[in-house]
Amino acid sequence: MYSYVGKIGQVEEDIIPGKVGYVLVEGELWEAISDEVIHKGETVTVIERQGLKLKVKRADAFEGNKTRQAN
């Protein structure tokens, strides 16, 4: 069985704890949840799959995380 755990993705719609956002992982758009606020454009790592949702965390700097610049 194919696993998304450990895969890197990009946030397409902000993820806020308790609400679903969206991430692009290997060319596929997934609903995503997280225990932290992660903004559109940031890089994430998949830590778990829960049905048709991916649980993600902000990727570490060495994984290519893009920093969010203040407007």
Side-chain angles (χ1 to χ4, degrees):
M1 176 188 260
Y2 186 79
S3 175
Y4 281 90
V5 175
K7 300 291 181 186
I8 303 296
Q10 182 168 341
V11 178
E12 296 295 315
E13 182 180 304
D14 290 355
I15 304 168
I16 299 168
K19 296 192 178 194
V20 174
Y22 289 89
V23 295
L24 192 62
V25 178
E26 296 194 338
E28 295 183 353
L29 190 63
W30 285 84
E31 288 186 339
I33 57 173
S34 182
D35 294 331
E36 59 186 337
V37 175
I38 309 174
H39 297 283
K40 181 178 179 175
E42 291 190 89
T43 304
V44 294
T45 302
V46 178
I47 57 173
E48 185 179 344
R49 181 173 168 188
Q50 298 179 353
L52 296 176
K53 292 184 181 105
L54 299 178
K55 186 168 184 177
V56 299
K57 67 174 184 170
R58 187 174 286 108
D60 294 329
F62 67 89
E63 293 177 299
N65 191 29
K66 297 177 182 176
T67 56
R68 184 170 170 87
Q69 296 178 349
N71 292 328

